[in-house]
Amino acid sequence: MDDFKVTPWDVEGVVDYNKLIEQFGTSPLTDELIEKTAELTKSELPLFFRRRFFFSHRDYDKVLADYESGRGFFLYTGRGPSGPMHIGHIIPFFATKWLQENFDVNLYIQITDDEKFLFKEKLSFEDTKRWAYENILDIIAVGFDPDKTFIFQNSEFTKIYEMALPIAKKINFSMARAVFGFNEQSKIGMIFYPAIQAAPTFFEKKRCLIPAAIDQDPYWRLQRDFAESLGYYKTAAIHSKFVPGLTSLEGKMSASKPETAVYLTDDPEEAGKKIWKFALTGGQPTLKEQREKGGNPEKCVVFKWFEIFFEPDDEKLMERYRACKAGELTCGQCKRELIERVQKFLKEHQKKRKEAEKKVEKFKYTGELAQEQWDKAIPEPLRT
Amino acid sequence: MDDFKVTPWDVEGVVDYNKLIEQFGTSPLTDELIEKTAELTKSELPLFFRRRFFFSHRDYDKVLADYESGRGFFLYTGRGPSGPMHIGHIIPFFATKWLQENFDVNLYIQITDDEKFLFKEKLSFEDTKRWAYENILDIIAVGFDPDKTFIFQNSEFTKIYEMALPIAKKINFSMARAVFGFNEQSKIGMIFYPAIQAAPTFFEKKRCLIPAAIDQDPYWRLQRDFAESLGYYKTAAIHSKFVPGLTSLEGKMSASKPETAVYLTDDPEEAGKKIWKFALTGGQPTLKEQREKGGNPEKCVVFKWFEIFFEPDDEKLMERYRACKAGELTCGQCKRELIERVQKFLKEHQKKRKEAEKKVEKFKYTGELAQEQWDKAIPEPLRT
C-alpha cells in the first residue's frame, strides 16, 4: 500500500505548479514557513496551508519575521465587481479570513468598480456599482472582523486617487504596458489603473501581505519595483493554486462560462443539478472497470473540490482518495456527497449573505478601521 | 488727427490674434456678442470686454442664450500650483470675477496640484500642496463670492476621480497623445490627467463657460468631442489674449524667467525697480527723437500693461496713446506712472491676500457651493 504514503495533495495534478514558481520567479512555500505559521499563530493550520493550496510566496518569511518582532503587517485583497461571485472567487476570502483571525491583523478589501467599468467596454458604471454592492454582501458573509476590515469601493473611497499619484509618477507607459498589455487604443483610465491597484499596499507603514492566485503576481511586481523608493515596503504575497471550474482541471473557474461555475447566489437545487450534469470526474467508462481499476482522483474535479474546500478533515479526504483508487467509490456516490456539501454551504452562505445587508455600513464606513481611513480622507473642517 | 479714430486696442500688435482664431478654429468675439453681454448683465462692460482682451470664443453665443432663457450656466477655471503667481496669472481671475458678479453664477476653481506634481519631475507633492495654499490666497484676494465659488484641490477633492472615470473611458492613449504630446516614457498619472481636467465641466448639468487664454483651447477640444455622448454640454469658452512679460510683447509672462514677471508677493519697492530696469518700451533712442517722432505704444509693454489692466479709464488710456505718439510723453514718465499703479495694486492685493487666510476654509469647505459639492462626495453615513 505504498500509494498511501503520499497525501493526495502531493500528487501531481494537471497544472504544473512548480513550473509556475519558476516561470513567475517566486519562492516555494516551504514546510519550514508553514510550520512557522502554525507556531506563531498557535493554531491548527487550515486546509489551505495543510494541503498547499498556498504553494508559493514573495517575502512571506519577512512577514512572519515582522509579526514575530512585533512590527506587524496587514492584509490586502480585492474583488472586481462585474458579475455574481462563484465558489472559486470566495475560497481565497476564507483563507484570508483565517489569516486575519489568527494573526489578528487589519485587512483591506478593494472593490475595483473603477477597473471593471474601465476595462469592460459594455459594462455601465451603474451596473458595476450594483455588482459591487452584491459582491460586498458575499464577502461580508465570510465573517471578517468588522472593526479590523475596511471594504472600500474605489469610485467612492476616492482618497485612493491621492494615494495613487506618487505611484503614478513612478510608472511610465511602457512599464505599465509590459504588465497589462496596453496599446494605442487603451483608454487612459485603464492606463492609470495600475497605480490605483498598488495604492492600498501603502495604507499602513507596515509590510503588506496579499493572498492571491499565482497568476496575479505580475501586477504586484511593478509595486515591488518602486515601493522602497517611496519609503514603503515591497509588498509580500502568498500565492494560491487555481480553483478549477466544474468541467476541467485546467485553469480557473470562470464566470464567463456559466456551466463551469457554482454561483454563491445559485439556488441550491439548481447548483446540485449543475454539478451532477457538468462536473468532470476521473472515473472509468463503466462501473465494472471502476470496480476493477479504481478511479483517478488526480484527474477529478469532484475530488479537487473536496480537497480545496469541501472536505476539511484530512483523514476523511485520504479515505476518499483511497476508496476511489481502490474502486470502492463510484463517481455517482462521490458527486452526490459533494452536492450535499455544496448545498449545505450555499444555504449557510445565503443566510449569512442576507444578514450581511445590515453590516455593509459598518464594513464600509463606521467600523473602527473604516472610520479611521475615512477620517484621513475627509478634510478636517468637514469631519463629524 | 485720423490716427485717433482707431482705439489703441484695435491697433495690430506683435501677436496676430486673427491668425490664432484661424489656427485654433475658434470664432471671433463679435461686437454683437459683446453688446449682448452688456445688455443681459445690465452692466457697464469691463475693460476685458471693451478692449477685446477676450477676442475669441466657442459657444459663447449659446451661453448667452442659456442665460437669457433662464437655464443658466456656470464658470470653470483653474490654476496649476507650482510656484508663486504673477500679474499675468491673476488678470484672468479678475475677468472671471466680473463674469461671476454680473451673471450671478457659480464658479469652480480647480487647483491642479496633481497635474503639477505629475508633470514636474522635480516638484515634490508637499511643495505642490504648499504652492496650492499660497496660490489660493492670491485667488481669494480677487474677491469672489464665497458662497458661489468652490475652490478645490484635486488631491483633496478626490471625488473628481470618480467623475473622471466615464471621461477616462472615452479617451484613448492616441487621442490624449495628440493633444498633450505623450510618449512611451510619460508617466501613467500624466496620461490620465486629461480626464481630471475635463471633469469639472460636468459639475452641473448646465453649459460650462471657461475663460482662458487662447493657447489653452486644445485641452478643451477633447471634452467637446465626447461631452454629448455622456449626456452633457460641450463646454463653451471665451479666449483671452496673452498678458506679456516685462521684456517682450511676444508670448506670455513666464514664471520661469523671473525678470519678465511681477509676482503678487513681490515687495512693491522691488517690483518697481524690476519694471524700471526690464520693461520694454516703444520709445526712441534719444529724448530728442522721442519729442520729434513720438513713441510706439503698440510695441510697448508698459502701454500694454496699462491697456490690459492698469488704466481702467478708456479716455485716459487714449490720451496716453495720443501723448506718446505725439512725443509729449517720455518713456521714463510713463514707466513711473505704471510703477505707481502696480505698486498700489500690489499693496492692496497683499492686504487682501493676508485677509484671505481666514477665508480659505469657506471657499474650500464650508461656503454654500463648497458644502454642496462635498456633501455629494462624502458617503451619507459619514456626513455631518
Side-chain angles (χ1 to χ4, degrees):
Chain A
M1 305 276 277
D2 260 10
D3 267 8
F4 304 116
K5 281 187 193 160
V6 183
T7 50
W9 43 93
D10 287 329
V11 175
E12 198 187 304
V14 171
V15 181
D16 184 344
Y17 285 104
N18 288 325
K19 212 165 173 175
L20 289 181
I21 286 179
E22 246 178 74
Q23 189 186 316
F24 287 106
T26 61
S27 307
L29 197 65
T30 60
D31 288 347
E32 198 196 330
L33 285 170
I34 287 178
E35 280 155 26
K36 185 92 182 163
T37 303
E39 186 197 316
L40 289 175
T41 58
K42 301 180 189 73
S43 310
E44 204 190 318
L45 291 174
L47 54 83
F48 314 109
F49 274 108
R50 290 193 323 262
R51 298 181 192 159
R52 305 298 173 104
F53 179 63
F54 290 122
F55 71 104
S56 151
H57 78 104
R58 284 190 193 270
D59 288 352
Y60 183 58
D61 49 336
K62 293 183 183 165
V63 167
L64 294 182
D66 283 357
Y67 180 78
E68 199 168 13
S69 75
R71 198 181 299 124
F73 70 94
F74 66 98
L75 291 161
Y76 163 37
T77 185
R79 159 74 190 157
S82 60
M85 287 176 82
H86 55 55
I87 294 214
H89 293 133
I90 207 72
I91 290 177
F93 281 98
F94 279 94
T96 304
K97 185 199 171 199
W98 186 89
L99 290 164
Q100 173 176 63
E101 253 177 23
N102 289 278
F103 284 105
D104 191 30
V105 290
N106 287 340
L107 163 63
Y108 300 90
I109 302 177
Q110 184 181 51
I111 307 296
T112 63
D113 56 352
D114 51 349
E115 175 208 5
K116 288 300 171 186
F117 167 63
L118 290 165
F119 281 76
K120 300 225 157 199
E121 190 58 40
K122 285 178 185 167
L123 198 63
S124 76
F125 212 178
E126 290 65 37
D127 281 345
T128 328
K129 288 174 180 176
R130 189 172 54 77
W131 284 121
Y133 178 77
E134 294 294 327
N135 294 174
I136 286 169
L137 295 181
D138 286 311
I139 291 167
I140 291 175
V142 170
F144 297 104
D145 181 336
D147 284 315
K148 293 199 163 173
T149 305
F150 178 36
I151 301 179
F152 61 101
Q153 215 167 311
N154 288 338
S155 76
E156 200 179 75
F157 186 66
T158 52
K159 189 190 176 61
I160 195 93
Y161 174 66
E162 185 202 0
M163 306 181 77
L165 288 168
I167 301 169
K169 198 177 177 175
K170 289 283 178 184
I171 306 174
N172 66 32
F173 182 68
S174 70
M175 289 159 71
R177 185 180 49 195
V179 173
F180 287 79
F182 298 132
N183 60 40
E184 299 282 302
Q185 270 62 55
S186 298
K187 303 303 188 295
I188 61 174
M190 295 163 58
I191 297 169
F192 183 66
Y193 182 71
I196 295 282
Q197 191 180 47
T201 65
F202 302 149
F203 273 13
E204 298 186 14
K205 274 243 170 174
K206 294 177 181 172
R207 208 177 299 273
C208 172
L209 175 64
I210 299 173
I214 182 109
D215 60 332
Q216 303 297 302
D217 180 71
Y219 301 123
W220 308 112
R221 246 182 267 158
L222 274 176
Q223 191 273 5
R224 290 175 58 88
D225 284 344
F226 57 73
E228 290 178 347
S229 75
L230 291 172
Y232 284 84
Y233 291 101
K234 290 181 180 188
T235 190
I238 42 173
H239 305 115
S240 75
K241 295 176 181 171
F242 306 129
V243 177
L246 284 171
T247 57
S248 161
L249 278 172
E250 285 171 71
K252 296 200 279 189
M253 190 181 294
S254 165
S256 55
K257 296 177 227 149
E259 72 278 13
T260 75
V262 171
Y263 292 94
L264 300 173
T265 45
D266 274 353
D267 171 73
E269 278 307 306
E270 294 303 313
K273 284 182 194 158
K274 205 188 290 187
I275 294 170
W276 186 256
K277 187 169 171 196
F278 291 114
L280 175 82
T281 66
Q284 303 296 345
T286 66
L287 186 61
K288 189 165 170 286
E289 277 178 90
Q290 177 84 359
R291 294 294 186 205
E292 280 166 21
K293 301 181 188 167
N296 288 301
E298 49 282 343
K299 290 183 179 163
C300 174
V301 166
V302 175
F303 185 80
K304 188 55 87 181
W305 280 33
F306 275 121
E307 179 194 317
I308 289 180
F309 194 65
F310 290 101
E311 179 50 85
D313 186 315
D314 285 359
E315 279 185 24
K316 285 184 183 159
L317 186 72
M318 281 166 73
E319 171 51 26
R320 184 178 298 276
Y321 184 80
R322 191 204 58 77
C324 171
K325 283 286 220 191
E328 293 167 18
L329 189 64
T330 66
C331 292
Q333 192 181 334
C334 207
K335 266 193 184 179
R336 269 189 298 273
E337 287 166 11
L338 178 66
I339 288 170
E340 214 169 276
R341 301 279 173 98
V342 171
Q343 288 178 332
K344 185 164 172 277
F345 168 75
L346 286 179
K347 279 175 199 159
E348 279 169 18
H349 180 82
Q350 287 166 12
K351 192 170 154 271
K352 288 181 191 152
R353 193 180 189 280
K354 184 73 198 154
E355 290 161 8
E357 290 171 13
K358 291 191 291 287
K359 298 179 187 166
V360 173
E361 193 166 302
K362 193 151 190 198
F363 279 96
K364 288 181 81 179
Y365 314 117
T366 60
E368 254 176 60
L369 186 62
Q371 189 89 58
E372 192 185 290
Q373 292 298 315
W374 276 106
D375 250 19
K376 289 184 211 160
I378 298 171
E380 210 163 337
L382 294 168
R383 281 182 211 162
T384 41
Chain B
M1 302 276 277
D2 261 7
D3 268 9
F4 305 115
K5 280 189 196 161
V6 183
T7 51
W9 43 94
D10 287 328
V11 175
E12 199 186 303
V14 172
V15 181
D16 184 344
Y17 285 104
N18 288 325
K19 210 165 175 179
L20 289 181
I21 287 179
E22 245 177 75
Q23 189 185 316
F24 287 105
T26 61
S27 307
L29 198 65
T30 59
D31 288 346
E32 198 196 330
L33 285 169
I34 287 178
E35 279 156 27
K36 185 91 182 165
T37 302
E39 184 197 316
L40 289 175
T41 58
K42 299 178 190 73
S43 310
E44 203 192 319
L45 291 175
L47 54 83
F48 314 109
F49 274 107
R50 290 195 321 263
R51 298 182 192 158
R52 305 297 173 104
F53 179 63
F54 290 122
F55 71 105
S56 150
H57 77 104
R58 285 191 193 269
D59 288 351
Y60 182 58
D61 50 338
K62 293 182 183 165
V63 167
L64 295 181
D66 282 357
Y67 179 79
E68 197 168 17
S69 76
R71 200 182 297 123
F73 69 94
F74 66 98
L75 290 162
Y76 163 37
T77 186
R79 160 73 190 157
S82 60
M85 287 175 80
H86 55 53
I87 293 213
H89 294 134
I90 209 69
I91 290 177
F93 282 98
F94 280 94
T96 304
K97 184 198 170 199
W98 186 88
L99 290 165
Q100 173 177 63
E101 254 177 21
N102 289 278
F103 284 106
D104 191 28
V105 290
N106 287 340
L107 164 63
Y108 299 91
I109 302 177
Q110 185 181 50
I111 307 297
T112 64
D113 56 353
D114 51 349
E115 175 208 5
K116 288 301 173 188
F117 168 63
L118 291 164
F119 282 75
K120 299 225 158 197
E121 190 57 40
K122 286 178 183 166
L123 197 63
S124 76
F125 211 0
E126 290 65 37
D127 281 344
T128 327
K129 288 174 180 176
R130 188 172 55 76
W131 284 121
Y133 178 77
E134 294 295 326
N135 293 174
I136 286 170
L137 295 182
D138 285 310
I139 292 167
I140 291 175
V142 170
F144 297 104
D145 181 337
D147 284 315
K148 293 199 163 175
T149 305
F150 179 37
I151 301 180
F152 61 100
Q153 215 168 311
N154 287 337
S155 77
E156 199 180 72
F157 186 66
T158 53
K159 188 187 177 64
I160 194 95
Y161 174 65
E162 186 203 0
M163 306 181 78
L165 288 168
I167 300 168
K169 197 176 178 176
K170 290 282 178 185
I171 306 174
N172 67 31
F173 182 68
S174 71
M175 288 158 72
R177 185 181 48 196
V179 173
F180 286 80
F182 298 131
N183 60 40
E184 299 282 302
Q185 271 61 59
S186 298
K187 304 304 188 294
I188 62 173
M190 294 162 58
I191 297 169
F192 183 66
Y193 182 70
I196 295 283
Q197 191 181 46
T201 64
F202 301 150
F203 273 12
E204 298 186 14
K205 274 243 170 174
K206 292 177 184 173
R207 207 177 300 273
C208 172
L209 175 64
I210 299 172
I214 183 111
D215 59 334
Q216 303 297 302
D217 181 71
Y219 302 121
W220 308 113
R221 248 183 265 160
L222 274 177
Q223 192 271 7
R224 291 176 56 88
D225 283 344
F226 58 72
E228 289 178 348
S229 75
L230 290 172
Y232 285 84
Y233 291 100
K234 290 182 179 187
T235 192
I238 41 173
H239 305 115
S240 76
K241 295 177 181 172
F242 307 130
V243 177
L246 284 172
T247 56
S248 160
L249 277 174
E250 285 172 73
K252 296 201 279 191
M253 191 181 294
S254 167
S256 55
K257 294 178 228 147
E259 73 277 13
T260 74
V262 170
Y263 292 96
L264 299 173
T265 45
D266 274 353
D267 171 74
E269 276 308 305
E270 293 303 315
K273 283 183 195 156
K274 206 188 291 186
I275 295 169
W276 185 256
K277 187 166 169 198
F278 291 113
L280 174 83
T281 65
Q284 304 295 346
T286 64
L287 186 62
K288 187 164 173 282
E289 279 178 87
Q290 177 85 359
R291 294 292 186 210
E292 280 166 22
K293 303 182 189 167
N296 289 300
E298 49 281 343
K299 290 184 180 164
C300 173
V301 167
V302 174
F303 185 80
K304 187 55 85 178
W305 281 31
F306 275 120
E307 178 194 319
I308 290 181
F309 194 66
F310 290 101
E311 178 51 86
D313 185 315
D314 286 358
E315 279 184 25
K316 286 185 182 157
L317 186 71
M318 281 166 74
E319 169 53 24
R320 184 177 298 277
Y321 184 81
R322 191 204 58 78
C324 171
K325 285 285 222 190
E328 294 166 16
L329 189 63
T330 67
C331 292
Q333 190 181 336
C334 207
K335 266 193 185 181
R336 269 189 298 274
E337 285 166 12
L338 178 67
I339 287 169
E340 214 170 276
R341 299 279 174 100
V342 171
Q343 288 178 331
K344 183 164 174 276
F345 168 75
L346 287 179
K347 278 174 199 159
E348 279 170 18
H349 180 81
Q350 288 166 11
K351 191 169 156 271
K352 288 181 190 153
R353 194 179 187 282
K354 184 73 198 154
E355 291 161 6
E357 290 172 13
K358 290 191 291 286
K359 299 179 187 167
V360 173
E361 195 166 302
K362 193 150 191 200
F363 279 97
K364 288 182 82 180
Y365 313 118
T366 59
E368 253 175 63
L369 186 62
Q371 189 91 57
E372 191 185 291
Q373 292 298 315
W374 276 104
D375 249 19
K376 288 185 211 161
I378 298 171
E380 209 164 338
L382 295 168
R383 280 180 211 162
T384 37

